[in-house]
Each structure stands twice: as structure tokens, then as C-alpha cells.
Amino acid sequence: MTQVDRWPRPDRRGTASPSRGDTPIASVIMATVHPRGDQRVLKTIRSLEAARFAVTVIWLGEQDATLDLGAAREEVLPNPNRTLARVATTPRLFWRALRARGDVFYCHDFYMLPFAYIWRRFGRRRRVVFDSHEFYEDLYASKIPLRSPRLRAKVARWLVERTVAPADAFFLVADGMITDSRPEKPVYLTPNFPSRSLLGKETQGSSEREVRRMIHSGTISSSYGLEDLVMAARLAEDKGLDVEIHVVERYLNSADEQWFKDVLHKHGHPAPIRLVAPVKASEMGRLLARYGAGFSLIRHVGQNPRAVPTKLYEYALYGLHIIGSDLPAQAEFLRTQPGVLGRSYAAGDSSSLLAAIEDYLDHGVDNDVRDRASALTFNTLSWEATCEPSFRELAELWYGDR
């Protein structure tokens, strides 16, 4: 375990002397199984600090001095790299949180909520905030061992409502995520929009962009439609299409990595597929600005029909034409969101995906159109412009007299 203290910032003489405006109004504990460097957590930390909260984050991973946490303190525990093993670290995270002094427990994980409520009992005026990333009813309804889908859905809804109800405030990535949202408690909509400061915004209008160069920058997994993409690339090669399809090698685990290698081998390693090494979040903008189009190929699994993948927002910020599967939330986003360029294909159908690629290549997108779209989405789909004010509103609501 590593601990780094960064509050308050030293002045030029090297001594801590914050001005009255820099003095924290309250302290926040953020204990999470999310890996160190998780973008949602980083954006939250920055926004809490901008709202004058002092933040302590306890998460999983390895120490890396290049990660900019601003003034936040951190504790880093080993990351087991397996989902169940990470969940099993919650008691250890809880004990670390008990040792840290705090006024607010900012909870990113559904299964950390019971621990957060226990933590709240150890101090007067302590509060719990729940940042809901997932449609938990959909996620857990498929895992409850009951035959009736309707009964599974009811049980999942009851479980979620009972678990989240005691929280004191909510940050939701989408409408309808918590069915029992109580009007007496603050609820803020904070979609998982990219942070301009984390991605870098200087790469609009890149001269390196090529229309025929396309990218899949999301996680590689069978439920994310990567085999559709490989099969479409095989068909494109057979037809002699002049296209490059770059796939960022980002895996959740070694099993997914082996699965993708097997898929490539099965389909003869299509020539249009080029593997690209992952880049740091701060380099993602520079990477995306080189491409003409981006893929989001999620399948009809779990909560996917109701979710808009984060990579769609990133593609839109940099003017990429988006080719996405026709799941309801994603298709509506492509159809109705101002400034977004893109089209849908029939999820799971590689021939439909190839047709969308050909249609895009035949018509292309003018760079002036891209730049105008990118300029619009930088204001409407960025974290700083749309989500960060919510944290200041909560600070004013709870601690406005400090």
C-alpha cells in the first residue's frame, strides 16, 4: 500500500499556505475498486477539488508519479485484475476509509454502499454520495437464479432501490437509473462525457486525418462486437476496399485477449485490421484526430440497450464519423444528438456493418463539416461544460455557509 499526501498545495517557498478561497469546505473519502487512473474517478476528483472539497481516494493499482491528482491524497492497494477478486477487496477499502478523516463518502461502486452507510454511523453529519455508473436493475436481473424474467426484474429492482435509498445525494450517468429517486435528496445528471483537459483539445482540424482510416478505441470483448468487425474486414479485403481498420489493444483480462487472437486466426488475420498499442488518456485526443471514423459495436447484452458508450462521446468531440450498432440508446444518440456524425448498422450482422463502411467511404465527410461538428460537441458533450457545475451546486447546497 502506498500513500501520497497532496493537500494543501505548497506555495513557491515550499510551505503550505492556502488562501481563504483555497481552504477546503469539507473532506471527501472515495474508496473504490476502480483501477488507479480510471477516467470517471479522475474527472470526479477534479470536479470535487474545483468545488473546494479536499479529496482522499483509495483505489487499486500501482503507484505512478505521472498521474496528476491535483491536491488529492491517495492510498493505492494491489489490483487483483479479476472482477470477483476486486469486489472482494471492499472490506479492506472500508477499513482504510474508516482510518481516513472525512465528511463525505463518495461511492462509485454499488457493492460499496453498505460499507459507506456503516462508515456514516461513525461520525456526526457524515453524508454518502452515490455515483451510479450502471443500469443495475438490468445488470443484476440476468444473474438472479429465478426462471421468470419478470420476477427477476422485480427482485433486482427491489434490491437496487433498497440499497441506494439511504444515500444522501446521487450523481447519475443517465436518466432512469434509479427508480426510487427521492425529491428531498439532490440528484444530478452527469453523463460520462469526456474531459477536455484529460483528452487534450488542441488536436481539432488535424492535418493527419485520413478518411479511409477507421478506429475501434474501446475495450475488446465478445459482447462488444469485435468479431463482427473482423468478419467485416475479411469481406472488405475480399472486395478490395481501400480501408484501414485500427483496433486499440485494450482488454479487460487475459481471457479476452486470447479470445481476440483466436478470432483473428479463425478469420485469417484480415489485412485491413491493424492492432494499435493503448495510449494514455492525455494522448487519446491526439490519436483520435488522425481518423475519419470510429466504431461502437456493442451487442444486445445486459444493460447495453440502454447505454451510450463513452467512446461515442470521444469520437464526437474529435469530429469522427461514428458507425454504431442499432441498440436503442446508441441509435437514438447517433440520430438526434446535434453535432454528431454517424449511422447505425444491424448489431451482429457483419454484412450490414460492411454496408455501413462502404456507404461512409462512398460519401465521406468534409473536413469543414467535421470541424464545425467538433466545435459544437466540445461545448455540449464535455464534462467541464455540462457536469462539473453539479459538484459546485452540491457544495453550495451542503456547505454554502463556509
Side-chain angles (χ1 to χ4, degrees):
M1 184 275 294
T2 305
Q3 178 170 321
V4 180
D5 294 322
R6 291 195 177 96
W7 184 272
R9 288 187 177 93
D11 66 10
R12 292 182 180 178
R13 294 183 300 277
T15 58
S17 55
S19 67
R20 181 178 179 83
D22 292 330
T23 304
I25 56 174
S27 55
V28 174
I29 306 299
M30 195 181 299
T32 176
V33 303
H34 285 59
R36 188 174 190 270
D38 177 88
Q39 292 298 290
R40 176 86 180 183
V41 176
L42 284 177
K43 289 182 291 188
T44 303
I45 291 172
R46 293 188 178 202
S47 295
L48 287 168
E49 289 190 334
R52 293 180 51 220
F53 288 98
V55 180
T56 296
V57 58
I58 307 165
W59 49 4
L60 310 178
E62 296 181 0
Q63 190 66 41
D64 177 7
T66 65
L67 184 63
D68 182 10
L69 292 179
R73 300 172 60 246
E74 71 168 347
E75 294 187 23
V76 184
L77 303 180
N79 187 357
N81 269 332
R82 290 177 180 271
T83 302
L84 290 179
R86 287 199 299 272
V87 173
T89 65
T90 51
R92 293 181 64 198
L93 292 167
F94 167 63
W95 286 115
R96 298 291 182 185
L98 278 180
R99 293 172 56 189
R101 298 175 63 183
D103 305 299
V104 178
F105 195 119
Y106 195 103
C107 191
H108 281 276
D109 310 297
F110 179 77
Y111 31 82
M112 279 295 296
L113 280 171
F115 293 99
Y117 301 145
I118 296 171
W119 171 90
R120 184 171 56 187
R121 294 176 65 86
F122 280 82
R124 297 180 59 191
R125 291 189 170 183
R126 285 185 169 182
R127 294 181 169 107
V128 172
V129 175
F130 180 42
D131 192 319
S132 184
H133 302 181
E134 316 281 354
F135 290 94
Y136 289 101
E137 293 176 34
D138 296 352
L139 192 63
Y140 293 124
S142 61
K143 300 180 180 182
I144 295 173
L146 295 172
R147 282 190 175 184
S148 168
R150 185 181 232 175
L151 184 56
R152 288 202 304 267
K154 285 185 177 181
V155 172
R157 177 175 178 174
W158 177 85
L159 171 66
V160 170
E161 288 184 352
R162 288 291 299 270
T163 304
V164 306
D168 300 295
F170 303 92
F171 285 81
L172 314 179
V173 299
D175 284 321
M177 299 191 74
I178 294 179
T179 56
D180 185 26
S181 57
R182 302 189 175 190
E184 73 274 12
K185 297 181 179 180
V187 179
Y188 301 99
L189 184 63
T190 52
N192 213 14
F193 293 154
S195 166
R196 294 178 300 201
S197 61
L198 290 175
L199 286 179
K201 61 178 185 243
E202 71 283 357
T203 51
Q204 295 182 74
S206 171
S207 60
E208 297 181 39
R209 188 190 305 277
E210 287 191 22
V211 171
R212 68 183 186 88
R213 187 189 294 146
M214 314 173 81
I215 187 170
H216 182 281
S217 65
T219 304
I220 295 176
S221 169
S222 59
S223 63
Y224 292 168
L226 268 296
E227 188 160 10
D228 292 347
L229 187 60
V230 174
M231 293 172 67
R234 171 87 276 166
L235 296 173
E237 183 179 15
D238 293 342
K239 296 186 71 171
L241 293 184
D242 183 20
V243 61
E244 292 181 13
I245 298 174
H246 293 193
V247 178
V248 176
E249 289 193 277
R250 180 178 291 111
Y251 307 99
L252 285 175
N253 50 53
S254 57
D256 284 336
E257 182 176 3
Q258 186 58 52
W259 170 84
F260 190 58
K261 289 179 180 178
D262 293 341
V263 168
L264 289 173
H265 179 73
K266 173 183 174 182
H267 296 287
H269 294 268
I273 296 287
R274 315 283 179 86
L275 300 182
V276 178
V279 299
K280 294 181 179 180
S282 58
E283 293 296 320
M284 182 57 72
R286 190 180 304 278
L287 175 69
L288 293 179
R290 299 174 53 226
Y291 293 89
F295 294 102
S296 177
L297 314 172
I298 57 174
R299 295 282 189 88
H300 197 292
V301 178
Q303 62 179 326
N304 287 353
R306 301 175 65 185
V308 178
T310 302
K311 58 179 170 288
L312 263 67
Y313 302 135
E314 295 178 351
Y315 292 157
L317 255 63
Y318 290 92
L320 275 70
H321 184 93
I322 302 168
I323 296 177
S325 50
D326 60 351
L327 274 63
Q330 178 165 264
E332 182 181 3
F333 175 82
L334 294 177
R335 185 175 62 254
T336 63
Q337 180 65 42
V340 172
L341 311 169
R343 67 197 71 196
S344 299
Y345 80 99
D349 186 340
S350 57
S351 297
S352 176
L353 177 54
L354 176 64
I357 293 172
E358 289 183 293
D359 188 46
Y360 160 72
L361 293 174
D362 288 343
H363 295 90
V365 179
D366 183 84
N367 278 336
D368 288 339
V369 173
R370 291 183 188 278
D371 290 345
R372 287 196 297 271
S374 179
L376 176 60
T377 55
F378 255 77
N379 292 321
T380 59
L381 298 178
S382 69
W383 179 270
E384 288 85 351
T386 58
C387 300
E388 190 160 283
S390 299
F391 295 85
R392 293 193 290 270
E393 289 180 22
L394 183 64
E396 179 66 25
L397 177 66
W398 280 353
Y399 304 104
D401 57 340
R402 294 190 184 182

